[in-house]
Amino acid sequence: MANTASARKRIRQTEKRTLRNRARKSRVRGFIRKVEQAIAGGDKSLAQDALKAAQPEMQRAATKGVFHANTVARKLSRLSARIKSLGAAAQA
């Protein structure tokens, strides 16, 4: 257990930050899940709308340090490529 007042304060801050980060990470995963479901359903416009809603949330998580910036960039790139391929498959 922490002995100094500053150490006790750091514990309190860490607990708050952990809860906040856990909520943010869960929220981002929920947005990604909606995009994945739209892609699986084959609905390109729904998938594009879901990605448009997910993108700022994912970028915010990267800014706050919940996810690494490159991880977010990679996920966004892969999701948008999969959405783009939906249109190509429908036209062929």
Side-chain angles (χ1 to χ4, degrees):
M1 191 61 204
N3 291 324
T4 63
S6 62
R8 284 192 288 270
K9 181 177 178 180
R10 291 301 295 175
I11 289 170
R12 288 194 308 270
Q13 289 175 329
T14 302
E15 286 171 355
K16 287 180 193 171
R17 195 173 301 113
T18 301
L19 288 173
R20 200 176 300 130
N21 288 344
R22 193 180 299 155
R24 186 168 275 128
K25 188 175 272 194
S26 175
R27 185 173 161 85
V28 168
R29 279 197 302 256
F31 275 104
I32 292 172
R33 194 176 310 116
K34 286 178 187 169
V35 178
E36 296 277 358
Q37 288 172 346
I39 291 170
D43 190 348
K44 185 174 181 177
S45 63
L46 184 65
Q48 285 175 330
D49 291 341
L51 182 65
K52 197 172 282 190
Q55 189 171 358
E57 204 63 42
M58 291 171 74
Q59 295 289 359
R60 195 171 299 117
T63 303
K64 300 292 184 183
V66 178
F67 288 109
H68 195 277
N70 289 356
T71 302
V72 170
R74 183 180 68 245
K75 285 180 185 290
L76 285 171
S77 175
R78 288 179 182 173
L79 286 172
S80 61
R82 285 172 61 194
I83 291 171
K84 190 174 181 182
S85 72
L86 281 178
Q91 291 174 354

